[in-house]
Amino acid sequence: MTSEAPSLDHLPKGHRFDPAPFRLEDEWVEAYLAAVEDETTPTLGGGVVPPLATVALAVRALLYQARLPAGAVHLGQELRCHRLLCRGEELVAEMSISSHTVRQGWHFIQVGMVIKDSQGEEVLTGEALIISPQREEA
Amino acid sequence: MRQKFVLAPGAALPAVERQINQEKIARYAHVSGDLNPLHIDPEFASRTPFGGVVAHGLLTLAYLSESLTQAFGQAWLAGGRLRVRFRAPARPGDTVTAGGRITAVEGAMVRCAVEVRNQRGEVLISGEAEIPIS
């Protein structure tokens, strides 16, 4: 996260983030599995990576382009896995603001996510609904 | 470890139980890069409508993903769909249980109602999952 990045609640519907490349680094996947206490996925072998790890890493890449407003809350999540993902894969997250409304003092922001592999094939798609309290503009 | 269960409507998904504490939330914040003070700053969080620190939604949702992995293995990881709402936050001190139930087996598709509850039985996450089986 950078202090120069705009706050997510300042971005309009239709805003497209720059494609964010990232890699499912072995060390990061290990740290993720430890953080979520996932003892099941490693038993499958083959270095498979849980889809929510990929989502978390894509969001981490996004946070270089937009700050999550303080007090923002995750209200909904959709995701679709298109194929198995494994450690070491090079991926690109393409994200956009698919909806942004303000109701009763809250921003409702839907962020669409398409994650592609190095061949440009979709491997994971989804959408997150994030809400954040409306703030007084400086 | 993966558990075997019957692929039939009504069958319960394996339950994944986890205890939430501030250390685990901080560890997830570090690995995810989501350093929202709502998750890691008790002073800030106490002044929000939540009244205190809450866990990241994607942390709690990861427990549900593990339940689906225990039930369906690679079928979930390679072709599953998940749609959930975060109804209430998990907080430090909570014991949460992720799981669900098969609602339908339609051809090569299994549909499930999924949820995460806390130790008081309150629903924190609810939704649906679809897993292709072959």
Side-chain angles (χ1 to χ4, degrees):
Chain A
M1 180 163 52
T2 65
S3 58
E4 297 78 16
S7 182
L8 190 65
D9 57 355
H10 287 174
L11 299 176
K13 175 184 175 182
H15 177 84
R16 302 187 74 84
F17 298 94
D18 292 336
F22 62 99
R23 179 181 161 91
L24 297 173
E25 295 281 1
D26 196 56
E27 186 179 353
W28 185 88
V29 174
E30 287 290 341
Y32 174 87
L33 292 173
V36 303
E37 304 174 89
D38 184 345
E39 297 174 348
T40 304
T41 303
T43 68
L44 299 178
V48 298
V49 176
L52 286 168
T54 306
V55 170
L57 204 47
V59 171
R60 186 183 176 102
L62 169 73
L63 291 176
Y64 288 100
Q65 298 184 49
R67 287 180 291 117
L68 278 177
V73 178
H74 205 155
L75 199 62
Q77 180 70 50
E78 295 183 21
L79 66 89
R80 180 178 181 183
C81 310
H82 298 271
R83 74 161 171 82
L84 205 60
L85 290 169
C86 296
R87 298 181 187 204
E89 290 207 54
E90 304 271 1
L91 304 173
V92 176
E94 299 177 358
M95 300 193 222
S96 61
I97 306 289
S98 51
S99 174
H100 185 170
T101 59
V102 180
R103 300 197 300 270
Q104 298 178 325
W106 289 86
H107 291 266
F108 290 73
I109 306 162
Q110 283 188 303
V111 181
M113 172 188 297
V114 177
I115 299 175
K116 297 179 178 177
D117 62 17
S118 56
Q119 279 74 49
E121 297 292 327
E122 293 185 1
V123 295
L124 195 151
T125 52
E127 192 161 76
L129 174 59
I130 295 165
I131 63 170
S132 69
Q134 194 172 17
R135 298 172 292 170
E136 294 288 335
E137 296 299 329
Chain B
M1 294 292 291
R2 288 190 61 195
Q3 302 172 22
K4 292 196 172 184
F5 72 108
V6 179
L7 275 181
L13 303 182
V16 170
E17 183 180 294
R18 295 285 183 267
Q19 294 184 336
I20 305 285
N21 61 38
Q22 188 59 59
E23 181 184 347
K24 292 178 182 178
I25 295 172
R27 191 185 310 156
Y28 185 84
H30 175 72
V31 76
S32 69
D34 181 353
L35 302 174
N36 184 334
L38 181 60
H39 303 305
I40 58 173
D41 182 345
E43 167 61 23
F44 172 88
S46 69
R47 290 184 273 108
T48 71
F50 294 99
V53 165
V54 301
H56 301 74
L58 287 179
L59 169 59
T60 315
L61 192 57
Y63 306 145
L64 186 55
S65 177
E66 185 175 358
S67 172
L68 292 166
T69 305
Q70 288 188 11
F72 301 104
Q74 291 193 3
W76 152 240
L77 302 174
R81 299 178 75 158
L82 181 64
R83 181 186 307 116
V84 298
R85 279 290 177 139
F86 298 92
R87 308 276 176 195
R91 301 172 184 275
D94 279 354
T95 298
V96 301
T97 304
R101 194 166 294 280
I102 294 177
T103 55
V105 180
E106 299 169 351
M109 185 67 71
V110 176
R111 301 183 199 284
C112 305
V114 295
E115 64 179 23
V116 179
R117 291 179 182 262
N118 64 16
Q119 70 278 12
R120 291 178 295 279
E122 297 163 341
V123 176
L124 307 183
I125 299 175
S126 64
E128 305 167 330
E130 297 178 353
I131 297 92
I133 54 172
S134 54

